[in-house]
Amino acid sequence: MKFLHSLLIALFALLSFTSTMATAHGPTPQKVDEKIIIESSVDNVWKVISDFTHIDQWHPLVTSVDIIDEQTRVIHIAEKGTLTDSLDEINAETHLLSYRLLEEDTAVFPVSFYTITLTVNPVESGSELLWQGRFYRADTGNFPPENLNDDAAVNAMTDFAQQGMQSLKTLLEKK
Amino acid sequence: MHHSAITLSLTGLLLLSSQFAVADYAYITNQDDATVSVFDLPDGKLVNTFSVDSGPVGVAIDNKHHRVYFTHPESGLVTAYDNQSFELLFKVDTFGQPFGITVDHTAKGLVFVTDWNRDAVLVINPETKQIVDLLAVQESPADIVIDSEKRRIYVANRESNTVTILDADTPRKHAVIATSKNPYSLALSPDGKRVYVSTVGDGHIDIIDTESKQVTDTIKVGNSPYDVSVSHDNKRFYVVNQGDNNLITFDALSLKQISRIPLAKMPESIMLSSDGQFAYVTNWFDNKLSIVDLQSNSVISTLKTGKGPRAFGGFTSP
């Protein structure tokens, strides 16, 4: 019994070595939950964000987009590389757009997977834009290095949301 | 007179103790604040919130032995608590990423746990508190269910797009079945004839016939179906779509939609009440537990949980 126990521990050790860096998403989802008020109509905001394959026209971090089809975009991030997003839902009645990461590149963005939902709601001064999502850090093992851990993922996702929203606000309030 | 008073109070005591023994709880693991919220069922009154080791995700209840188990993938622990007093009984360090968990309700109450990072199923003997076996499955095993009668274990391998069927008693593999994209959650019909597989990558439910070990039907249900549950009479199944914020009821025979109920943001896990009238759904983004009346197909209450409620697995008693 004791022998069996040590054998099992040895097996575990071996297994841990062979798979320290798991791909795809891990066990701990993280959250992005950002909001901005834009002094422009819901229709105006919706018109811009619902154009899924032209995010490069308003997001400062996206330099260009390769359009694979209406549901699939490859976004180019300045000096870093590309990510592929796939559209899940576009609802013109509720002003909701959701998409997911199809092909990750953790050198571009330190996440292994995300789903993002953008929602526009009417408020007194114009529109409220919500940027909400769920994602997983780049290194899904239990000992991720600093640049691939939960904090790195949260910071990158939050920054991408904030920069996009701020740029939209500037763009739409200028009109 | 005196005698009957004693009899009465004894009866009262017995009644009290038997009520205590059958208290029906939902145990919600809150991954982000390392707590478990305990709700009394069927009404959903919050009876306790207790602190556990960091990042609890999976849940399995063993009423026979008065235990409830939690997995903690980030710290590698499986913890066992008294299911009524919520006191810590023991911890097992797996040195891996324990994720899904289920209990064999016969005999010793062996505990089967998926290890996300090591592509294995760990078997824990709660009497010795040791890992007694390690069974190879495929990549990123998520949910695990056991058919205690037919002695089979089903495992969803999220990154391999397969379900592995293992023997519950011997290290034998019965089958590996190809599924749709990213199988995550499993539900065994109470009659043991079907296993419902929710595949989060492409929004399907695959239905496995357990006798032929084949996928007999595949239906599109929505965006990111994170969990599925089967009615006690096997006639309906329920799917929660994380991307659509809804619960859909299906007829198990015709596979047609019966109803569609909107929920709070990012529903994650679903379980039914013991009488089958209510469904309990955690909403990960909103930190809520929704109680759905399955007769009227409406949400009757939405309760606050801790942060990041996962409750992955059997978080209520069958």
Side-chain angles (χ1 to χ4, degrees):
Chain A
M1 187 61 206
K2 198 153 188 186
F3 170 73
L4 182 70
H5 194 229
S6 353
L7 188 71
L8 277 170
I9 285 175
L11 267 173
F12 284 163
L14 198 68
L15 272 166
S16 324
F17 275 121
T18 53
S19 59
T20 44
M21 172 105 183
T23 54
H25 87 51
T28 312
Q30 301 295 323
K31 197 181 280 184
V32 57
D33 186 9
E34 294 293 320
K35 185 169 89 173
I36 199 165
I37 302 292
I38 299 174
E39 289 174 20
S40 185
S41 72
V42 168
D43 285 344
N44 282 344
V45 179
W46 178 246
K47 201 179 160 193
V48 178
I49 65 160
S50 61
D51 193 355
F52 182 66
T53 52
H54 290 99
I55 186 174
D56 53 331
Q57 294 184 358
W58 57 271
H59 202 298
L61 294 176
V62 181
T63 51
S64 64
V65 178
D66 300 334
I67 304 171
I68 306 300
D69 55 47
E70 276 180 20
Q71 319 287 320
T72 318
R73 69 184 184 195
V74 177
I75 61 172
H76 292 253
I77 309 284
E79 289 165 22
K80 284 189 172 171
T82 63
L83 297 172
T84 307
D85 286 332
S86 160
L87 184 67
D88 274 336
E89 188 184 352
I90 183 157
N91 190 327
E93 271 172 46
T94 55
H95 304 105
L96 179 152
L97 173 97
S98 66
Y99 58 93
R100 66 179 61 208
L101 182 63
L102 204 60
E103 276 168 44
E104 81 265 32
D105 180 347
T106 57
V108 181
F109 226 60
V111 296
S112 50
F113 182 71
Y114 57 66
T115 54
I116 300 292
T117 300
L118 307 185
T119 317
V120 196
N121 297 315
V123 292
E124 211 171 298
S125 55
S127 306
E128 167 198 74
L129 172 63
L130 304 177
W131 191 304
Q132 298 170 319
R134 171 164 162 144
F135 53 93
Y136 300 82
R137 66 174 178 254
D139 180 342
T140 59
N142 275 359
F143 307 100
E146 228 166 70
N147 61 328
L148 303 174
N149 65 12
D150 283 337
D151 284 348
V154 171
N155 289 342
M157 293 297 289
T158 306
D159 179 60
F160 190 79
Q162 286 175 346
Q163 290 209 41
M165 294 169 107
Q166 194 54 52
S167 162
L168 261 177
K169 184 179 168 76
T170 310
L171 183 82
L172 287 161
E173 289 183 355
K174 228 191 296 181
K175 277 184 182 174
Chain B
M1 174 69 192
H2 190 68
H3 186 78
S4 67
I6 290 173
T7 317
L8 259 175
S9 60
L10 260 175
T11 317
L13 263 176
L14 278 170
L15 262 173
L16 263 176
S17 63
S18 70
Q19 270 176 353
F20 185 72
V22 295
D24 200 6
Y25 293 140
Y27 303 87
I28 307 301
T29 49
N30 303 305
Q31 187 170 20
D32 298 344
D33 61 13
T35 60
V36 172
S37 308
V38 184
F39 294 93
D40 195 20
L41 304 184
D43 309 346
K45 185 176 175 287
L46 182 71
V47 294
N48 202 315
T49 301
F50 61 98
S51 294
V52 295
D53 278 283
S54 70
V57 175
V59 189
I61 301 170
D62 181 355
N63 277 333
K64 194 170 146 194
H65 298 96
H66 303 282
R67 288 192 282 252
V68 57
Y69 296 96
F70 307 115
T71 61
H72 307 258
E74 298 273 346
S75 58
L77 296 174
V78 173
T79 54
Y81 284 78
D82 185 292
N83 72 348
Q84 304 288 322
S85 70
F86 320 123
E87 274 166 43
L88 177 69
L89 300 173
F90 61 88
K91 300 181 189 186
V92 176
D93 195 344
T94 70
F95 302 99
Q97 279 191 336
F99 195 64
I101 183 165
T102 191
V103 174
D104 181 2
H105 289 289
T106 59
K108 290 178 193 166
L110 288 181
V111 183
F112 295 84
V113 183
T114 57
D115 189 320
W116 183 274
N117 214 353
R118 293 184 300 193
D119 307 337
V121 169
L122 314 174
V123 186
I124 296 171
N125 180 341
E127 287 174 8
T128 61
K129 304 169 185 61
Q130 279 185 329
I131 295 168
V132 292
D133 211 346
L134 170 77
L135 309 164
V137 288
Q138 293 185 325
E139 207 180 326
S140 300
D143 206 4
I144 180 166
V145 293
I146 183 167
D147 185 336
S148 291
E149 270 175 39
K150 290 184 186 152
R151 311 305 302 156
R152 281 187 186 172
I153 291 164
Y154 300 87
V155 179
N157 304 301
R158 193 188 186 283
E159 298 309 317
S160 297
N161 305 325
T162 55
V163 164
T164 304
I165 308 181
L166 299 169
D167 193 279
D169 302 299
T170 63
R172 177 181 162 203
K173 194 184 290 171
H174 286 290
V176 177
I177 302 166
T179 65
S180 299
K181 195 179 171 198
N182 304 137
Y184 183 74
S185 181
L186 302 171
L188 177 72
S189 63
D191 61 13
K193 289 183 179 165
R194 289 180 187 84
V195 171
Y196 295 82
V197 187
S198 75
T199 64
V200 294
D202 54 11
H204 290 161
I205 294 288
D206 287 346
I207 303 170
I208 296 173
D209 177 293
T210 56
E211 200 173 322
S212 68
K213 302 183 192 101
Q214 306 271 334
V215 172
T216 53
D217 291 284
T218 293
I219 54 170
K220 173 81 182 169
V221 294
N223 283 323
S224 303
Y226 257 71
D227 203 5
V228 53
S229 199
V230 189
S231 67
H232 303 313
D233 63 5
N234 311 292
K235 288 180 180 164
R236 289 182 178 189
F237 61 94
Y238 307 95
V239 179
V240 288
N241 291 304
Q242 188 164 95
D244 301 327
N245 305 322
N246 65 18
L247 159 60
I248 302 182
T249 305
F250 289 89
D251 183 288
L253 205 62
S254 69
L255 307 181
K256 292 213 168 91
Q257 285 190 24
I258 296 172
S259 69
R260 180 188 287 245
I261 304 153
L263 295 169
K265 266 181 197 150
M266 295 203 191
E268 177 103 10
S269 300
I270 176 169
M271 285 295 286
L272 304 185
S273 61
S274 50
D275 63 3
Q277 197 192 332
F278 303 105
Y280 304 96
V281 183
T282 57
N283 301 280
W284 178 80
F285 195 90
D286 280 348
N287 304 321
K288 297 277 165 60
L289 177 73
S290 303
I291 305 183
V292 180
D293 184 336
L294 295 172
Q295 308 291 308
S296 65
N297 293 317
S298 57
V299 176
I300 54 168
S301 53
T302 305
L303 309 159
K304 210 166 173 276
T305 65
K307 285 184 187 160
R310 298 297 297 279
F312 185 55
F315 67 85
T316 68
S317 303

